[in-house]
Amino acid sequence: QVQLVESGGGLVQAGGSLRLSCAASGTMLSINTMGWYRQTPGKQRELVAAITSAGGPNYADSVKGRFTISRDNAKNTVYLQMNSLKPEDTAVYYCNADVRLRIGRYSSYWGQGTQVTVSS
């Protein structure tokens, strides 16, 4: 079984910064894409940023230039550095990982979510 454990959420004033971390553990061969999503009440979960195993990042337009995604493959950990935070960034942030469990077998896993609240 694979688990994703997130940390780093909290309350911050507009213009401030937070860094989210997500560590994957369990039995797996490798992790392909890792990403961060966010969700607010009544809305669909949306992609914030994702990064491939080779390190290629992809960002939502709303966070480009403010957020940076990175990963440490040796630690099976993905990070999201969030700068210049805005009240509209307030959401529950979820980590996602596409895991190669064994040859020919892949599965997607989610973290439990961490709350990010940006006050104006």
Side-chain angles (χ1 to χ4, degrees), residues 7-112:
S7 60
L11 173 64
V12 65
Q13 288 189 330
S17 298
L18 283 174
R19 189 189 193 211
L20 305 182
S21 299
C22 171
S25 62
T27 303
M28 68 190 92
L29 288 183
S30 61
I31 303 176
N32 296 333
T33 299
M34 301 185 81
W36 290 96
Y37 291 70
R38 64 187 181 188
Q39 189 171 23
T40 54
K43 292 189 176 182
Q44 285 191 330
R45 194 171 295 185
E46 63 174 5
L47 175 68
V48 176
I51 186 167
T52 67
S53 56
N58 181 40
Y59 297 98
D61 288 342
S62 59
V63 305
K64 282 180 181 177
R66 299 188 298 122
F67 291 10
T68 301
I69 190 169
S70 61
R71 65 189 283 174
D72 184 334
N73 290 332
K75 295 181 179 180
N76 290 331
T77 299
V78 63
Y79 306 96
L80 186 67
Q81 178 66 44
M82 304 184 294
N83 299 328
S84 303
L85 282 160
K86 305 175 181 180
E88 50 263 43
D89 294 318
T90 295
V92 178
Y93 284 69
Y94 295 91
C95 172
N96 176 265
D98 290 328
V99 176
R100 188 184 187 195
L101 297 173
R102 56 181 181 268
I103 295 175
R105 174 73 187 276
Y106 297 83
S107 190
S108 182
Y109 293 88
W110 292 91
Q112 78 283 1

